[in-house]
Amino acid sequence: MEQTKDNHHQLEQNKREQPMSLLMKVMITGFVGGVFWSSLGYLAYFFHFTELSPNMILHPWALGDWKYGKLGNYIAIFLIGLISILVAFIYYAFFKQMKSMWAGIFYGVALWFIVFYVLNPIFPNLQPVSELERNTIVTTICLYILYGVFIGYSISFEAQEMNRQTQMQATNE
Amino acid sequence: MTAQTNSIPIFEKLVENENFLKQKIGIGTSFDLGIRKVKVLKKEVHIYYCTGLCDTQYLVELLKQIVLINDHERQTAQAKQIIENRLVHQQVSPVENLDEAVDKLLSGLIIILIEGEASGFVVDVRSYPGRQPQEPDTEKVVRGARDGYVENIIVNTALTRRRIRDERLRFEIIQVGERSKTDICIAYIKDVADPGLVELVKKELQQIKIDGLTMGDKTVEEFLVKQGYNPYPLVRYTERPDVAATHLLEGHVLIMVDTSPSVIITPTTLFHHVQHAEEYRQNPAVGTFVRWVRFLGILASLFLLPLWTLFVIEPSLLPDKWAFIGPNKHTNIPVIVQIFIADFGIEFLRMAAIHTPTPLSTAMGLIAAVLIGQIAIDVGLFVPEVILYVSVAAIGSFATPSYELSIANKIARLLLALAVALFKVPGLIIGTTIYLLFLIRTRSLNTPYLWPFIPFDPAAFMQIVVRRSAAGSKVRPSIVHPQNRQKQPT
């Protein structure tokens, strides 16, 4: 231990990683969940499993023609990630105590109904559900379910782990 | 120990002991159990042994010392103490009752009983038949330690202790199996591992009621994780002491079972099964590259065949540029049937290769690959693409580091392909969704199976995606609930 104090602190192994706060985790989970599952949605669109691609959220706005191309989809995927942070916080606020995976599944299904029935008029290229292809409906519902489980189960699990830790500390003290 | 309360004490008369042991364990009937009778200081001394499990050289040396007593000592009254002194071995312990003595005798220790004494000695001169540590076949690395666990639990704990000289490393031993009395060792580091998990594992192990653990750790696993008919492996096995030591330091609890050369790592997630020691023997960048390619292989082994089946059934799904995919000529047999036949063919090969001697299996591989594949196409049984995709999927399964996982993935792949053949797009989508939900729901010792993907843990997920450098990975994975999060001392 002849090193000077400054040197010592610069070593990679001596940097401390602070545990992430729960809110930070919720935020990242929301963003990653939005980006990941909408990317899969784009892949599904590429293989014609669904008529809808992520860029449908850009359609209501008057933007250049780029919004219909690849660039539009990439930007839309990023935007869905941002919106998804909000979705994650809504789950965190109301349902974080739900332990079962089913909470996430229902959350996903509820989101699907909100987007495809309630918000339907916003999206000019989204037909009423009764006129959508069967494949589109199946693919989107499944994506929403998996997305809901991803968000819901992650947040519930993290909340449980936090409870566990605080309980452990309480018993240790 | 309830067994000791109603046990039979050692008789003072040696004849009674002998009669009892002859009846109980069949000395005289079983050829591998024997008695050597000597007279020391005018007292009968009986030495019971189990041939094959004890080292004859030590036994001869001990006998020599005992017989020499007659030349040097006179005090017959203190025969017992004198004999104890002359047992030149570090592991000598007294034994009070015959049941305990029988257990020891059958593990290969020798029992020394003296006329007129109500207690005897057991000396640990065990030497089990077994092989030397060698590199495990299933987990080879280009560089790195070449030693592997063997069938002897003592050697295994020694190989682990060689790597972790920590005073807080614990090896707790219990015996399981009414008839086999197999030794099981629970290994953990006391101030790191989750005490709740250690307790849970101990409780589960103590509750095992079975006559013998002949299949070693696999039998223990089935009692431990209660997986039913879930094909996915819920614990990770390793035969490498360096992998085991790494997991101990991360806060995992290991279970070693005597007579099996692999140890059980708990708790385990799916992502423990897709990592390999080789990645940690290369640069972080190379390790990451290797890992991504491996992930690609595993994904291909799962989804390539179902996807291709779908595109053959519904070519309209393909983007225009990808229209070349799919059989060019008319097929005689439905594609899904071809896939099943080809996949089962590879399964035949795999199974046959396990128990075929090496010189023959080379020839067998040639016949299978060249002749059957080519001729099946020539006679119109298969379209060439089936061979291509089934082979890629099969190689993907061979690239899976965990043998158990690769077989489970194979089952999942065939089920998905079947769902596609029956229901087309909804079959694939709903099938995959149910498959993922099933994996998410699976828990191994209260650990979610898809952690850190679902439930998502950003930091831990980065550790899976990128192989971090040893200096850069500073925290233990949170899923094992380590008591001490930081790897380096504060």
Side-chain angles (χ1 to χ4, degrees):
Chain A
M1 290 288 130
E2 294 293 315
Q3 288 159 317
T4 62
K5 209 181 173 197
D6 281 343
N7 250 339
H8 197 69
H9 274 279
Q10 276 162 9
L11 284 177
E12 191 185 9
Q13 66 199 29
N14 290 328
K15 286 181 202 150
R16 281 278 166 264
E17 253 176 37
Q18 289 305 316
M20 232 179 254
S21 78
L22 184 53
L23 289 182
M24 188 69 190
K25 270 189 180 162
V26 171
M27 210 178 92
I28 295 179
T29 305
F31 182 74
V32 173
V35 168
F36 181 77
W37 296 105
S38 58
S39 306
L40 272 190
Y42 188 37
L43 189 72
Y45 169 75
F46 180 75
F47 285 123
H48 301 124
F49 293 171
T50 162
E51 315 146 64
L52 303 165
S53 70
N55 69 9
M56 82 178 205
I57 66 156
L58 294 177
H59 284 273
W61 281 277
L63 299 165
D65 271 349
W66 56 264
K67 73 178 179 184
Y68 299 108
K70 273 184 189 165
L71 182 66
N73 276 305
Y74 295 146
I75 290 176
I77 287 172
F78 181 76
L79 288 178
I80 291 175
L82 294 184
I83 297 170
S84 170
I85 295 177
L86 186 72
V87 175
F89 273 109
I90 293 174
Y91 186 94
Y92 176 74
F94 296 106
F95 308 112
K96 69 164 186 274
Q97 295 306 333
M98 312 282 269
K99 279 182 187 158
S100 164
M101 182 182 87
W102 289 99
I105 294 180
F106 287 127
Y107 194 59
V109 173
L111 283 176
W112 186 85
F113 272 97
I114 290 174
V115 171
F116 283 78
Y117 280 98
V118 181
L119 300 181
N120 195 312
I122 297 180
F123 303 111
N125 70 329
L126 182 57
Q127 292 140 339
V129 174
S130 52
E131 288 169 33
L132 285 174
E133 273 180 42
R134 194 180 56 143
N135 284 354
T136 303
I137 297 176
V138 168
T139 308
T140 48
I141 286 190
C142 283
L143 277 173
Y144 272 80
I145 286 178
L146 289 174
Y147 168 75
V149 170
F150 182 90
I151 297 279
Y153 195 34
S154 303
I155 294 173
S156 297
F157 181 76
E158 215 44 65
Q160 276 177 56
E161 290 287 290
M162 285 283 168
N163 280 346
R164 213 188 97 92
Q165 273 180 14
T166 43
Q167 269 174 16
M168 289 273 286
Q169 276 163 5
T171 47
N172 283 344
E173 275 162 13
Chain B
M1 286 284 154
T2 49
Q4 278 176 353
T5 51
N6 54 3
S7 55
I8 299 151
I10 291 176
F11 302 108
E12 293 199 0
K13 284 189 177 153
L14 281 188
V15 189
E16 286 178 38
N17 287 327
E18 195 181 336
N19 284 337
F20 176 84
L21 288 175
K22 268 185 178 161
Q23 273 207 340
K24 177 134 189 192
I25 55 175
I27 295 176
T29 314
S30 297
F31 80 96
D32 62 336
L33 301 169
I35 325 175
R36 173 75 168 93
K37 300 175 181 175
V38 288
K39 210 155 189 170
V40 179
L41 301 176
K42 294 176 187 153
K43 281 189 176 181
E44 281 283 330
V45 173
H46 286 187
I47 299 168
Y48 294 86
Y49 59 88
C50 183
T51 333
L53 296 183
C54 49
D55 193 317
T56 307
Q57 278 186 322
Y58 290 140
L59 204 46
V60 169
E61 184 61 33
L62 283 173
L63 268 173
K64 224 188 271 174
Q65 293 291 335
I66 290 173
V67 175
L68 275 176
I69 294 175
N70 287 330
D71 300 345
H72 302 294
E73 305 280 349
R74 292 286 173 270
Q75 292 173 299
T76 39
Q78 290 177 4
K80 193 183 165 197
Q81 285 78 359
I82 292 169
I83 289 174
E84 184 173 8
N85 258 353
R86 293 290 180 122
L87 292 176
V88 283
H89 196 278
Q90 80 275 24
Q91 296 191 24
V92 178
S93 51
V95 61
E96 304 285 330
N97 68 72
L98 282 169
D99 293 301
E100 199 188 334
V102 165
D103 282 353
K104 300 266 160 120
L105 174 60
L106 295 179
S107 335
L109 291 83
I110 56 168
I111 305 170
I112 299 170
L113 299 179
I114 306 157
E115 177 77 50
E117 299 287 348
S119 68
F121 298 111
V122 290
V123 187
D124 192 346
V125 291
R126 271 180 288 189
S127 156
Y128 287 167
R131 58 193 173 99
Q132 288 295 307
Q134 51 187 247
E135 185 171 30
D137 266 341
T138 46
E139 291 170 276
K140 286 192 170 165
V141 290
V142 178
R143 292 196 195 290
R146 294 272 188 273
D147 54 354
Y149 285 130
V150 293
E151 286 77 2
N152 187 333
I153 195 169
I154 305 294
V155 177
N156 291 353
T157 52
L159 284 172
T160 317
R161 183 75 82 177
R162 281 262 288 127
R163 285 171 169 79
I164 305 175
R165 290 173 176 158
D166 189 2
E167 74 255 23
R168 288 152 292 192
L169 174 62
R170 294 287 179 272
F171 290 124
E172 287 188 35
I173 202 157
I174 58 172
Q175 289 195 331
V176 170
E178 201 54 43
R179 287 177 192 277
S180 71
K181 303 214 168 55
T182 311
D183 291 322
I184 298 183
C185 167
I186 307 159
Y188 59 93
I189 297 181
K190 199 173 168 240
D191 64 336
V192 177
D194 175 18
L197 178 65
V198 176
E199 273 311 303
L200 177 71
V201 169
K202 256 193 262 179
K203 207 183 81 201
E204 293 283 349
L205 290 182
Q206 273 157 1
Q207 279 174 352
I208 295 178
K209 291 271 176 289
I210 194 171
D211 54 355
L213 298 172
T214 43
M215 287 297 143
D217 43 9
K218 183 66 197 160
T219 317
V220 173
E221 178 207 324
E222 283 167 23
F223 277 100
L224 194 66
V225 294
K226 306 175 182 70
Q227 60 184 342
Y229 283 93
N230 181 354
Y232 275 82
L234 297 186
V235 298
R236 180 180 175 188
Y237 289 102
T238 186
E239 296 188 33
R240 297 187 61 88
D242 45 5
V243 172
T246 310
H247 282 89
L248 274 178
L249 290 175
E250 280 186 348
H252 288 265
V253 177
L254 307 190
I255 301 166
M256 303 176 176
V257 183
D258 198 17
T259 71
S260 56
S262 44
V263 305
I264 299 175
I265 300 172
T266 63
T268 319
T269 68
L270 179 85
F271 294 98
H272 282 105
H273 291 279
V274 296
Q275 301 184 30
H276 192 269
E278 176 70 13
E279 293 157 9
Y280 291 91
R281 274 284 167 186
Q282 305 285 346
N283 273 338
V286 177
T288 306
F289 168 74
V290 169
R291 186 177 285 183
W292 285 15
V293 173
R294 175 172 292 133
F295 285 170
L296 217 61
I298 296 171
L299 282 179
S301 79
L302 259 177
F303 292 113
L304 190 66
L305 273 183
L307 262 180
W308 181 73
T309 316
L310 182 62
F311 295 144
V312 172
I313 298 173
E314 281 193 36
S316 63
L317 289 172
L318 280 169
D320 296 339
K321 284 178 192 165
W322 291 37
F324 64 90
I325 292 175
N328 298 326
K329 52 182 184 183
H330 171 72
T331 54
N332 300 317
I333 301 178
V335 171
I336 183 71
V337 180
Q338 293 185 26
I339 285 179
F340 267 78
I341 295 175
D343 227 345
F344 280 134
I346 291 184
E347 196 66 10
F348 290 155
L349 252 181
R350 191 181 64 78
M351 280 187 282
I354 291 175
H355 50 69
T356 311
T358 323
L360 293 181
S361 71
T362 317
M364 188 183 72
L366 277 175
I367 297 170
V370 182
L371 294 179
I372 299 183
Q374 192 54 47
I375 292 172
I377 293 171
D378 288 347
V379 298
L381 194 61
F382 288 163
V383 287
E385 269 188 297
V386 167
I387 305 270
L388 171 67
Y389 291 113
V390 169
S391 309
V392 173
I395 293 169
S397 352
F398 290 134
T400 312
S402 156
Y403 174 66
E404 290 90 357
L405 181 68
S406 71
I407 299 178
N409 277 345
K410 186 183 194 101
I411 296 176
R413 170 217 306 169
L414 287 178
L415 287 179
L416 279 180
L418 197 65
V420 167
L422 293 176
F423 306 109
K424 303 193 178 81
V425 175
L428 179 70
I429 299 292
I430 296 178
T432 310
T433 306
I434 291 175
Y435 167 69
L436 282 177
L437 289 177
F438 165 75
L439 286 184
I440 295 167
R441 213 179 62 97
T442 304
R443 289 174 90 92
S444 157
L445 293 173
N446 294 329
T447 308
Y449 197 51
L450 279 192
W451 187 91
F453 173 50
I454 299 176
F456 188 64
D457 186 315
F461 192 67
M462 277 310 285
Q463 291 268 359
I464 302 287
V465 175
V466 180
R467 182 292 216 204
R468 300 281 294 270
S469 70
S473 55
K474 292 177 284 277
V475 291
R476 302 195 162 95
S478 63
I479 199 66
V480 299
H481 302 128
Q483 296 180 54
N484 184 347
R485 272 190 84 241
Q486 303 285 342
K487 278 185 178 170
Q488 279 81 23
T490 39

